[in-house]
Amino acid sequence: HHAVAVTAQVQVDEVGDVIVLDPERRIPMPPHLDPQRTKLTESIYRLDNQILSLLDMESVFDFQRRN
């Protein structure tokens, strides 16, 4: 098995506020989420009036595992 070098980039539409996440606000992965989405999600936090999903950047760029 040969390693293949891959160059990739992430484009961001805009940068919003930087927030500090309280570990107490972390919630379990909701069972209704699409399995493809959960593979790319590191964790989920409940904020005041919304849910925030954190991307698992290693999984996002692990093209061999996703295929």
Side-chain angles (χ1 to χ4, degrees):
H1 209 313
H2 292 74
V4 176
V6 175
T7 301
Q9 70 180 29
V10 175
Q11 183 172 349
V12 178
D13 290 338
E14 70 179 70
V15 176
D17 296 333
V18 175
I19 60 173
V20 176
L21 296 172
D22 179 355
E24 299 285 322
R25 310 287 314 251
R26 186 173 176 170
I27 62 173
M29 197 72 66
H32 65 276
L33 284 183
D34 180 332
Q36 288 297 95
R37 182 174 175 184
T38 60
K39 288 179 186 178
L40 303 176
T41 303
E42 181 178 313
S43 55
I44 298 181
Y45 289 82
R46 182 176 304 280
L47 303 181
D48 291 333
N49 58 354
Q50 57 190 337
I51 300 290
L52 175 68
S53 297
L54 296 183
L55 281 177
D56 180 346
M57 295 308 291
E58 286 187 26
S59 293
V60 169
F61 291 110
D62 187 352
F63 301 112
Q64 289 182 336
R65 189 172 78 181
R66 289 198 352 231
N67 289 332

